[in-house]
Amino acid sequence: MTPTLSTPALVLHTTAYSETSVIAKLFTRQLGVRSYILKGVRKGGSKTKQNLLQPLRYLDLVVYNNPKTQLNYLKEVAPHIGEVSSVTASMEDEAVRNAVVFFMTELLYKSLREEEPDQPLFDYVVESLARLQEPAAASYGHFPILFMLRLSHHLGIEPMDNYSAREPLFDLREGCFCYAADNTLTPSASLLLHTYLQAIHDDTECPLTTLSQRTELINRLLDYFQLHLSEFHNFKSHEILHTVLQ
């Protein structure tokens, strides 16, 4: 008999499978990224509703765990007991939150490989989702940049903050500040990246920015991820994010 295992998980992606089932790619706390078949979820009257599989939904699972196969079955799935409920918000705020969550989901889906578990990263994502639901959450405009930079730390590709007057340009390929190179951020974007890195490392306030400055930095950080992660490409959700944040 195939053994079972209990673990919390976050939904990364779902794909229709047969007429009534789905394959769900999940970031589990105990096993890392895994794909599971959830039988009958698309069938009318199913005990498990498809809204449980929304992007980054926080779930409690009981999974069949056969190490000899890459595609196991989900035995039980339910909302996580400690899941943070969405606060009452205006339609505009809810649209922004949804866009940020889709952005976070695509980042994780295209960054994480099916390898060993990463419990600190899992806990960081859960903490970020909780912070996003706070009524007095910090500016949504800063949130995607902060999430990307902290995610880069967990992925082992965090930009080195060696900014100085002699090395004021961030080299996307080398991941550090330099005097001159072929693939660098503009002087203003380099300085902005430096101030965000300072805010993270020193736990200080985020810099004063405009929408266009944040948009440029998000786009260039996506270039950075693509340069340093082999399967990171065809990113799309930032286009919706930029539209909603206007």
Side-chain angles (χ1 to χ4, degrees):
M1 176 180 257
T2 303
T4 61
L5 179 144
S6 299
T7 179
L10 297 164
V11 179
L12 296 179
H13 189 262
T14 59
T15 306
Y17 178 75
S18 75
E19 293 185 0
T20 61
S21 303
V22 299
I23 294 176
K25 192 167 190 175
L26 307 173
F27 181 23
T28 75
R29 192 174 191 275
Q30 303 288 33
L31 299 170
V33 177
R34 292 288 185 270
S35 295
Y36 295 98
I37 297 174
L38 188 55
K39 296 176 66 175
V41 70
R42 299 167 58 219
K43 181 171 60 178
S46 170
K47 291 182 180 180
T48 304
K49 304 302 180 184
Q50 274 196 278
N51 64 2
L52 278 179
L53 301 177
Q54 292 174 351
L56 288 191
R57 189 70 193 269
Y58 192 11
L59 305 174
D60 283 326
L61 310 177
V62 177
V63 303
Y64 291 104
N65 187 35
N66 182 352
K68 296 182 179 180
T69 178
Q70 293 185 333
L71 189 60
N72 282 284
Y73 283 89
L74 282 177
K75 182 180 181 182
E76 298 175 19
V77 54
H80 182 69
I81 294 174
E83 183 180 33
V84 178
S85 301
S86 179
V87 298
T88 303
S90 67
M91 291 181 64
E92 181 179 359
D93 279 353
E94 195 61 31
V96 172
R97 282 180 183 157
N98 288 339
V100 173
V101 168
F102 275 111
F103 180 77
M104 294 167 64
T105 305
E106 189 174 11
L107 274 173
L108 292 165
Y109 176 66
K110 293 189 173 180
S111 298
L112 302 181
R113 304 276 65 85
E114 295 192 12
E115 298 174 348
E116 296 299 314
D118 189 337
Q119 295 182 357
L121 175 55
F122 183 92
D123 293 342
Y124 165 64
V125 178
V126 169
E127 177 189 331
S128 297
L129 290 169
R131 192 180 305 118
L132 193 60
Q133 296 297 340
E134 293 174 0
S139 169
Y140 293 121
H142 296 302
F143 196 98
I145 295 172
L146 296 174
F147 183 79
M148 291 184 81
L149 293 176
R150 290 184 173 120
L151 175 60
S152 74
H153 169 76
H154 286 277
L155 297 174
I157 60 169
E158 183 179 17
M160 181 185 297
D161 189 18
N162 62 312
Y163 179 90
S164 70
R166 294 185 62 183
E167 296 178 308
L169 301 176
F170 184 74
D171 186 331
L172 290 168
R173 191 169 297 279
E174 296 301 323
C176 61
F177 291 88
C178 64
Y179 176 72
D182 292 333
N183 199 1
T184 61
L185 301 186
T186 64
S188 60
S190 295
L191 177 58
L192 189 60
L193 174 59
H194 164 62
T195 54
Y196 271 111
L197 290 169
Q198 276 191 316
I200 289 174
H201 295 152
D202 300 336
D203 195 24
T204 57
E205 292 293 324
C206 291
L208 293 175
T209 57
T210 65
L211 174 62
S212 62
Q213 287 174 321
R214 295 192 301 271
T215 297
E216 178 189 0
L217 186 55
I218 288 172
N219 290 341
R220 298 315 306 274
L221 285 174
L222 289 172
D223 293 337
Y224 178 73
F225 272 60
Q226 186 169 343
L227 281 168
H228 294 273
L229 300 172
S230 60
E231 297 184 37
F232 192 95
H233 50 77
N234 297 327
F235 202 89
K236 297 178 180 179
S237 61
H238 63 302
E239 297 171 359
I240 298 172
L241 181 69
H242 294 331
T243 301
V244 173
L245 288 176
Q246 288 181 356

